[in-house]
Amino acid sequence: MRITGTTRLAGIMGWPVAHSRSPVLHGFWLDETGIDGAYLPLPVQPQHIEQALRALPILGFRGCNLTIPHKRAALSVVDRVEPMARRIGAINTIVIRSDGSIEGRNTDAFGFCENLFDAVPDWQPGAGPAVILGAGGAARAIVAALADARVSEIRIVNRTLARAETLAHDLSTSEVRISIHSWDEAGAALRHAGLLVNATSLGMAGEPALRLDLSSLPPATPVVDIVYVPLETDLLAAARRRGHPVVDGLGMLLHQGRPGFEAWFGVPVRVTDKLRDAILATMAPER
Ligand code: NAP
């Protein structure tokens, strides 16, 4: 990469930000496309998020990604919030518009769907109820994505039922019924399910294990784990042993980056095996 006087700028704001793989992801696409652009880590403390976002158009940035702890706080700073980000209640992508205004978007729902359809192209939204483990930020994006894909019933299993109730209240529509279940009811919730997604942090390196009896899940139902460290979680290993189609979380991470890149640098990009390998190489010690 060479920096010139006309290099287009983007980056990722987070605190901390050093662990983020987004610079490797966007750096890969910049190299591949040969675009005169740069994607920088931007360590921004929580109390400075408003100043930092307001500085983007002044400094000539095309936009940026947001990660922990800025995704919710940015909602009250930006000039415009895309409807999907408003529904999810979080912003992960900032685009500076031609008039200098700041737009907030959320690309996690897009990333989830692209990854699912890439990995299991014959999955049908009408296959049966989708069971989502978790009710945090990622679960909200996945529920919004599945509702838009015309899944008509979604079962949320979560430890904190109040959080699941808020999700159901915010994201239910006349076309999607969202029910809430405790972990004790998880086995029953899996009956007749057409999709199972882990959107909790359970099973992630350093977090408690995810223990779930899959025996009531129909045999052909795809199992998705959005945790990507490790890539093959215990849930995916158990599902694979039972013959379910399995989908790991790395593809979601890669696909969610595409809309930002395309908005900032004006070129479509793809998720390829070469890109997966480049990102996996950065994860080697944890796999
Ligand atoms: P979050 O908002 O903090 O939500 C965490 C979820 O995990 C909540 O539902 C929480 O339940 C549950 N949980 C955590 N510890 C638990 C425990 N000990 N027992 C039972 N439930 C527990 O986090 P998030 O942003 O949604 O992210 C969740 C996971 O998805 C993380 O591992 C993250 O790395 C991953 N992720 C992956 C992608 C991707 O692109 N692949 C994108 C986003 C997130 P309570 O509500 O009861 O606390």
Side-chain angles (χ1 to χ4, degrees):
M1 181 190 72
R2 286 179 59 151
I3 305 286
T4 71
T6 55
T7 298
R8 301 178 194 180
L9 297 175
I12 177 157
M13 289 185 189
W15 186 263
V17 80
H19 67 285
S20 172
R21 285 167 178 106
S22 291
V24 180
L25 170 61
H26 290 276
F28 179 96
W29 282 327
L30 285 169
D31 285 347
E32 190 180 57
T33 56
I35 283 173
D36 181 14
Y39 184 97
L40 309 170
L42 302 167
V44 173
Q45 294 187 26
Q47 67 272 26
H48 296 143
I49 185 62
E50 178 163 6
Q51 289 161 281
L53 287 173
R54 287 278 156 223
L56 287 174
I58 299 167
L59 294 171
F61 272 69
R62 301 290 174 120
C64 70
N65 286 122
L66 298 179
T67 186
I68 294 168
H70 303 314
K71 290 183 178 191
R72 283 192 70 81
L75 282 168
S76 56
V77 176
V78 300
D79 301 310
R80 181 174 182 277
V81 180
E82 225 184 33
M84 178 59 96
R86 178 75 67 199
R87 273 165 79 200
I88 295 169
I91 291 171
N92 72 351
T93 303
I94 297 285
V95 175
I96 306 303
R97 287 148 61 103
S98 52
D99 62 0
S101 62
I102 304 171
E103 179 171 298
R105 303 181 183 176
N106 191 307
T107 63
D108 278 340
F110 170 85
F112 175 81
C113 277
E114 290 288 300
N115 187 37
L116 176 60
F117 284 115
D118 240 20
V120 196
D122 54 354
W123 175 76
Q124 297 289 336
V131 178
I132 313 298
L133 311 174
R140 291 177 68 95
I142 291 165
V143 169
L146 293 175
D148 286 1
R150 300 197 174 278
V151 171
S152 59
E153 183 185 346
I154 298 176
R155 301 170 179 167
I156 305 292
V157 176
N158 200 48
R159 175 181 59 178
T160 308
L161 293 179
R163 200 171 184 196
E165 276 161 16
T166 304
L167 181 157
H169 173 266
D170 293 350
L171 295 174
S172 288
T173 66
S174 56
E175 275 148 23
V176 58
R177 195 166 75 81
I178 302 178
S179 57
I180 294 160
H181 308 265
S182 69
W183 277 95
D184 290 344
E185 299 161 348
L190 296 182
R191 271 185 219 128
H192 310 296
L195 182 69
L196 169 63
V197 183
N198 175 37
T200 72
S201 44
L202 293 172
M204 189 174 151
E207 298 290 325
L210 168 50
R211 303 205 187 285
L212 183 63
D213 177 0
L214 296 177
S215 54
S216 51
L217 190 67
T221 296
V223 177
V224 184
D225 200 332
I226 70 161
V227 167
Y228 54 88
V229 181
L231 197 57
E232 175 93 343
T233 60
D234 290 347
L235 174 68
L236 291 189
R240 202 186 289 281
R241 282 195 296 273
R242 285 174 43 89
H244 296 277
V246 299
V247 185
D248 69 53
L250 181 59
M252 175 178 170
L253 180 77
L254 304 182
H255 280 290
Q256 65 74 32
R258 285 171 43 208
F261 190 96
E262 294 172 12
W264 308 320
F265 301 118
V267 174
V269 280
R270 291 180 310 129
V271 171
T272 58
D273 288 344
K274 200 172 157 200
L275 170 60
R276 272 180 74 94
D277 289 345
I279 301 294
L280 285 172
T282 70
M283 296 176 169
E286 296 142 316
R287 281 158 67 200

